Amino acid sequence: MATETGTATIIDGKAFASTLVTRVGAAVERLVQSHNVKPGLAVVIVGEDPASQLYVRNKGETTLKAGMRSDTHRLPEDTTQEQLLALIDQLNADDGIHGILVQLPLPQHIDANAVLDAISPDKDVDGFHVVNAGRLAVGQDGLVPCTPLGCLMLLKDQLGDLSGLNAVIVGRSNIVGKPMAQLLLGESCTVTIAHSRTKDLPALCRTADILVAAVGRPEMIKGDWVKPGATVIDVGINRVPSKDPVKAAEGKTRVVGDVAFDEAAAVAGKITPVPGGVGPMTIACLLVNTYTAACRTIGVQPDDLLAR
Ligand code: NDP
């Protein structure tokens, strides 16, 4: 799903994600009919952070749209770690719940790693559990973090076979950069992971047939860092002041990626925009993971959701 511009093809992640949610919905319907199993996702949020509340609401609505069960557990800011762990235990034991997501960030008095590690790896639809990181590293079936999974789906949709392509991933976080590298290695790309200590990053980026930016620095990757015809996937979500000085003075912001879009689009073959590129794929892949987790509990092979 993409539109042509002057040079690069703009990869429309929003449209792809919407189609994917519809496909998951159809697969869910088949699962309910064939096995009487309705995938269920439990989202846990602690505290009142407005951005987190919005994310959780969106997740709940999209889950219901795909015909799944959606439970949201809203806990007060002063919830103790023990209370949260008790809820996770309860959800781990609930056969109607196939996916558990704890919205981050958690309040400071709670050890986020202890909570994430308490989620059963088979219900860990965020794919953050160390067991799932290990499964991905050794090529076993597990649950893969949603954002890199979404990037991979876009890449396969756009490029088909990725084998032999040079991929450079800028960023080595556990939730984006590292799993992205593992996934592309699994597709037989030649993968390089760059980070803040990498020398001559522009030259390295220019070697990439696939360039993935997951840095968190607004428009850091410039047009002349991009190899002509490359596919650029911009994961970054950065808030910067509005272009309109009056609005900027009022504190209004806009969202940009880690790639200087206009410059890069003049050189790249294909590029994701921000917003409307990778972002919408993250929630869609959360549903993919919940559906996959539900299929595995009953030993059913999940449908190929990329198949037309
Ligand atoms: P992290 O802060 O965890 O990691 C950032 C990475 O970028 C680190 O590996 C860091 O290197 C590297 N880095 C920082 N500065 C430079 C530099 N100057 N040159 C090269 N590398 C650098 O971020 P995340 O991976 O969590 O997120 C990255 C971006 O993706 C953010 O903008 C985030 O908002 C966005 N995001 C978007 C999602 C979506 O749904 N679209 C989901 C998740 C994240 P080092 O390790 O050496 O410090």
Side-chain angles (χ1 to χ4, degrees):
M1 233 154 274
T3 50
E4 303 280 343
T5 61
T7 44
T9 299
I10 311 294
I11 302 171
D12 188 345
K14 196 172 171 193
F16 190 98
S18 166
T19 305
L20 184 58
V21 171
T22 306
R23 281 193 197 140
V24 175
V28 165
E29 210 174 303
R30 288 191 290 276
L31 191 66
V32 172
Q33 276 168 11
S34 59
H35 292 82
N36 197 25
V37 170
K38 186 177 195 167
L41 173 66
V43 176
V44 180
I45 177 167
V46 184
E48 298 297 329
D49 176 58
S52 296
Q53 293 281 352
L54 180 67
Y55 290 141
V56 166
R57 201 161 51 241
N58 287 344
K59 283 168 186 165
E61 283 168 7
T62 316
T63 308
L64 290 174
K65 208 164 136 191
M68 298 183 181
R69 171 177 161 189
S70 166
D71 292 3
T72 303
H73 298 263
R74 296 177 195 282
L75 306 181
E77 180 81 27
D78 61 359
T79 300
T80 65
Q81 184 162 318
E82 289 64 36
Q83 287 168 325
L84 182 53
L85 290 173
L87 174 60
I88 302 291
D89 278 351
Q90 189 188 315
L91 295 172
N92 280 339
D94 184 339
D95 289 341
I97 290 297
H98 305 93
I100 304 169
L101 181 148
V102 176
Q103 183 66 43
L104 300 176
L106 287 168
Q108 287 206 332
H109 65 273
I110 296 177
D111 175 357
N113 285 333
V115 173
L116 297 180
D117 282 351
I119 296 172
S120 159
D122 296 335
K123 296 190 178 188
D124 166 42
V125 281
D126 253 340
F128 295 165
H129 197 288
V130 69
V131 167
N132 281 317
R135 286 172 175 163
L136 180 60
V138 297
Q140 284 179 8
D141 280 347
L143 291 164
V144 175
C146 301
T147 300
L149 181 59
C151 294
L152 182 70
M153 283 189 168
L154 291 178
L155 283 166
K156 286 173 88 163
D157 181 61
Q158 291 293 320
L159 301 176
D161 182 12
L162 308 181
S163 70
L165 296 178
N166 280 343
V168 173
I169 298 150
V170 190
R172 57 174 164 182
S173 71
N174 289 335
I175 63 171
V176 189
K178 283 183 202 160
M180 187 77 248
Q182 299 285 3
L183 287 171
L184 290 173
L185 198 55
E187 296 297 325
S188 298
C189 290
T190 303
V191 179
T192 310
I193 308 177
H195 45 77
S196 64
R197 304 290 179 90
T198 297
K199 293 200 173 102
D200 200 355
L201 186 58
L204 178 65
C205 290
R206 276 191 291 274
T207 67
D209 302 309
I210 295 171
L211 179 59
V212 181
V215 185
R217 290 184 182 258
E219 301 176 325
M220 185 186 91
I221 292 179
K222 307 299 180 199
D224 63 359
W225 297 24
V226 176
K227 176 177 168 177
T231 301
V232 179
I233 303 289
D234 190 353
V235 182
I237 300 177
N238 307 289
R239 287 214 160 266
V240 296
S242 168
K243 272 187 181 162
D244 178 337
V246 178
K247 287 187 180 160
E250 290 167 352
K252 297 265 165 42
T253 58
R254 65 194 169 100
V255 174
V256 298
D258 291 339
V259 177
F261 180 82
D262 291 343
E263 289 177 20
V267 186
K270 297 166 188 280
I271 187 167
T272 58
V274 177
V278 172
M281 291 299 292
T282 300
I283 291 189
C285 286
L286 179 64
L287 303 190
V288 170
N289 278 348
T290 305
Y291 163 72
T292 303
C295 288
R296 287 193 185 138
T297 57
I298 49 169
V300 168
Q301 183 65 28
D303 285 6
D304 179 1
L305 295 164
L306 282 178
R308 299 290 148 113

